Amino acid sequence: MPATAELGCPDLARLFEVIDHCVLVHDAGTKDILWANPAARTALGFTLDELKPLKAPDMSSNAAQYARHIGVAWLQRAADQGRSRIEWCYRSKSGTDILSEALAVRVELSAGPVVMVQFRDIAEEKATRRDLTRTEARLQAFLRNLDEGIVVLDDDGRILFAGESAGSLLDRDPDDMLGTDFTTFLAADSTAVLRGVLHDTPRGGRPTDARYRLAASDSVGPDRWFAARCQYIDIENDLRGLLLLFHDITDTVHTEEEHRRDAQYLNQLARHNAMGDMAMAIAHEVSQPIAAAHNFVAGTLGRVDDSHEAPDPLRWGLDHATRQLERATTILSSLRAYVLRLEDAKRSVDLNDVVADCRYFVDVRAKAHRVAVRWEHTTDDLPVSCEKVLIGQVVMNLAFNALEEMARWPENPGPVTITTRRHEDRAEVEVRDTGGGLPTAPGDRIFDGAFTSKGNGHGIGLALSHRIISRHDGHIEAFPNSPRGAVFRFRLPLLPGL
């Protein structure tokens, strides 16, 4: 048949015979069934002759929403307005309900207007939709309560999708994050890491893992860290990009830092112990030749005194040699008094005594730097339980740092002040200078860095001082002095009842 030939009624009937959609034809006025195609007759289980006399209650569900007046009103809307759509539940001859999407359309025929109804079974589709809706609700609930943040980035790092958990971890509204460069949330060093990951993550390859540090916020606090896995995804051309799954590992990173400090702390204790043994050995060995030299000088002086012919310069030289030997003996005695073998057990001591033991060494360093030291000891007892050598090292470390700082400011000859006092239930030591002030790191964060040894000192460092004081259940802090300089202060718990 040529493509331009018109279709006759037999041809149209044959077309209706083979379509899968169910078709019913109703009289536009009476709403009686005039005709049904084979698909409709098969679905409903009625012959055409059986269908024609049926009314809505005979072929619809008994549920209230499928009452006869509702069906008639629906067909009437189609007759009046041209078409009307409804969800309708037909019932087959066998009693099976057929949930359908039905479209009624007014059609003008030569014999008069009719309403043609097309319907299809949507029960399975509805069930699928319910399953999808339920699954989506569950996924949304899971994502809202997930500890892992989810974002999808384009090749330039801009956010294409952000889950609610990502917003919670980054303290942002997920919708406001869309289109934002994800690197703006990261510290500068981590920005470079993410750029490298975005560039190196292969399409369809293995995921890439990395750690990222968040950019510092306005509030002072510990750095926040995330561990993230990056993998390329392509979801049915709907969402294509780099999927970044990340979770907070701040506590883990800080624990690792604590472990590193502990290792440094133990290394320093071993080093300190070895230095103590060496110093004691040196003091023992040197004391003998000093004592012998002292005896030789004393004997020579005795012979000089017996000889009235000895010149005065010789007497003067021998007298001063004796004084220097006595000074060397004093230094060795002080060294023996201070350098003790490190013991694990803490002892009950007066913190004033610990500071007093450090005084000789601090004064020697102060004289070398030409800096004055003011000692302000409280008359109160300050009984604490501590490892005396370690706390003494902290006192000297803070004092030496202050002296070295003041040596950098010869035009400002202010003293370093070392104070002991009682503060509520704590014993307190404070070292105050009038130098250049604190470094840029605020508050307690100046104690965060790993310590570095000094070539001209014992190299305990502020980080190790922090560890020692923390180990003794104490607290160390730093803050600006007024009008200039810095104050370092630590407090240890006083022994109860003393």
Side-chain angles (χ1 to χ4, degrees):
M1 182 177 66
T4 56
E6 295 184 0
L7 294 175
C9 289
D11 298 319
L12 293 175
R14 291 190 188 95
L15 291 175
F16 274 105
E17 292 288 329
V18 298
I19 64 174
D20 290 334
H21 272 54
C22 301
V23 178
L24 294 174
V25 178
H26 295 262
D27 183 275
T30 65
K31 311 303 186 291
D32 292 337
I33 295 176
L34 302 177
W35 182 79
N37 73 337
R41 298 196 295 268
T42 300
L44 296 173
F46 294 102
T47 65
L48 181 57
D49 291 336
E50 290 174 330
L51 278 172
K52 287 183 178 181
L54 296 181
K55 303 298 182 183
D58 301 322
M59 49 186 298
S60 300
S61 170
N62 294 326
Q65 64 266 36
Y66 307 116
R68 181 178 185 277
H69 68 280
I70 296 177
V72 171
W74 160 55
L75 294 175
Q76 188 61 48
R77 282 196 300 276
D80 295 338
Q81 301 173 12
R83 63 175 51 215
S84 179
R85 191 181 299 274
I86 196 172
E87 184 178 287
W88 195 258
C89 188
Y90 289 98
R91 189 174 70 248
S92 70
K93 184 176 180 180
S94 62
T96 302
D97 286 342
I98 306 171
L99 185 62
S100 305
E101 180 185 59
L103 174 64
V105 180
R106 176 189 173 97
V107 181
E108 295 289 344
L109 299 180
S110 58
V114 297
V115 174
M116 181 178 68
V117 174
Q118 306 168 58
F119 68 91
R120 62 186 182 89
D121 189 334
I122 61 169
E124 185 174 344
E125 182 180 308
K126 291 279 287 188
T128 301
R129 287 180 181 175
R130 285 194 298 269
D131 289 342
L132 288 175
T133 301
R134 184 164 55 248
T135 301
E136 182 181 11
R138 289 175 179 174
L139 286 175
Q140 290 293 341
F142 293 155
L143 291 176
R144 281 194 298 269
N145 295 279
L146 195 65
D147 289 334
E148 195 166 45
I150 301 175
V151 294
V152 178
L153 311 177
D154 64 13
D155 292 338
D156 295 325
R158 290 188 297 270
I159 299 174
L160 303 175
F161 168 83
E164 291 190 26
S165 55
S168 298
L169 287 171
L170 297 173
D171 299 323
R172 299 288 194 281
D173 187 317
D175 293 335
D176 294 340
M177 294 168 59
L178 298 181
T180 304
D181 188 340
F182 191 76
T183 60
T184 60
F185 301 113
L186 305 178
D189 52 348
S190 292
T191 295
V193 174
L194 180 62
R195 291 294 184 198
V197 167
L198 294 178
H199 180 268
D200 298 336
T201 299
R203 302 297 190 261
R206 297 177 61 84
T208 306
D209 297 326
R211 287 184 172 188
Y212 305 96
R213 182 166 60 92
L214 285 186
S217 60
D218 294 336
S219 60
V220 176
D223 290 337
R224 291 177 61 198
W225 286 85
F226 288 145
R229 167 164 291 192
C230 186
Q231 187 170 19
Y232 184 80
I233 61 169
D234 187 348
I235 304 175
E236 295 293 333
N237 295 320
D238 175 61
L239 189 60
R240 182 188 299 113
L242 292 158
L243 174 67
L244 199 69
L245 304 176
F246 59 96
H247 60 278
D248 195 312
I249 58 167
T250 301
D251 291 341
T252 300
V253 172
H254 290 170
T255 299
E256 291 172 354
E257 291 175 353
E258 289 292 320
H259 287 167
R260 283 194 294 270
R261 290 176 189 166
D262 285 341
Q264 293 166 343
Y265 171 71
L266 292 175
N267 289 337
Q268 184 67 18
L269 292 187
R271 179 181 172 198
H272 175 84
N273 198 41
M275 291 173 60
D277 290 342
M278 188 181 302
M280 289 295 288
I282 292 173
H284 175 74
E285 295 297 328
V286 172
S287 63
Q288 294 182 8
I290 287 178
H294 191 279
N295 290 334
F296 284 126
V297 172
T300 303
L301 274 174
R303 289 181 175 84
V304 168
D305 289 339
D306 293 339
S307 174
H308 299 291
E309 298 179 357
D312 290 338
L314 178 61
R315 296 176 186 275
W316 182 87
L318 291 173
D319 285 339
H320 279 76
T322 300
R323 292 177 186 176
Q324 292 301 316
L325 289 171
E326 290 173 348
R327 182 169 181 265
T329 301
T330 301
I331 292 173
L332 289 177
S333 298
S334 299
L335 186 62
R336 285 196 193 96
Y338 178 76
V339 180
L340 306 172
R341 178 174 292 278
L342 189 61
E343 297 180 357
D344 291 334
K346 296 179 181 179
R347 294 182 177 181
S348 299
V349 298
D350 192 311
L351 191 56
N352 283 315
D353 295 337
V354 176
V355 175
D357 288 342
C358 301
R359 180 166 184 166
Y360 175 82
F361 301 99
V362 174
D363 285 341
V364 169
R365 183 70 65 89
K367 179 179 281 190
H369 287 304
R370 298 181 180 179
V371 176
V373 179
R374 180 185 300 148
W375 297 88
E376 298 179 349
H377 291 281
T378 180
T379 57
D380 295 332
D381 292 336
L382 301 177
V384 297
S385 176
C386 71
E387 295 173 69
K388 184 177 179 180
V389 173
L390 293 182
I391 298 302
Q393 288 282 28
V394 174
V395 173
M396 288 199 297
N397 181 57
L398 299 182
F400 290 171
N401 286 346
L403 291 172
E404 291 172 4
E405 175 64 21
M406 291 306 302
R408 296 174 54 244
W409 302 86
E411 75 283 357
N412 179 25
V416 170
T417 304
I418 301 175
T419 306
T420 62
R421 65 171 68 93
R422 180 186 288 258
H423 179 80
E424 297 177 351
D425 60 345
R426 300 261 165 165
E428 179 177 290
V429 175
E430 182 179 277
V431 178
R432 185 183 298 265
D433 67 59
T434 56
L438 294 174
T440 55
D444 290 346
R445 296 188 67 182
I446 65 171
F447 300 103
D448 285 350
F451 75 94
T452 55
S453 297
K454 299 178 183 178
N456 60 346
H458 49 75
I460 236 181
L462 291 177
L464 189 58
S465 296
H466 181 274
R467 296 293 298 141
I468 291 173
I469 296 302
S470 298
R471 173 179 170 176
H472 286 77
D473 298 323
H475 176 71
I476 187 170
E477 60 183 342
F479 52 90
N481 194 7
S482 178
R484 61 177 293 173
V487 179
F488 285 82
R489 173 195 295 158
F490 71 84
R491 290 171 178 164
L492 298 177
L494 287 166
L495 290 174
L498 296 176

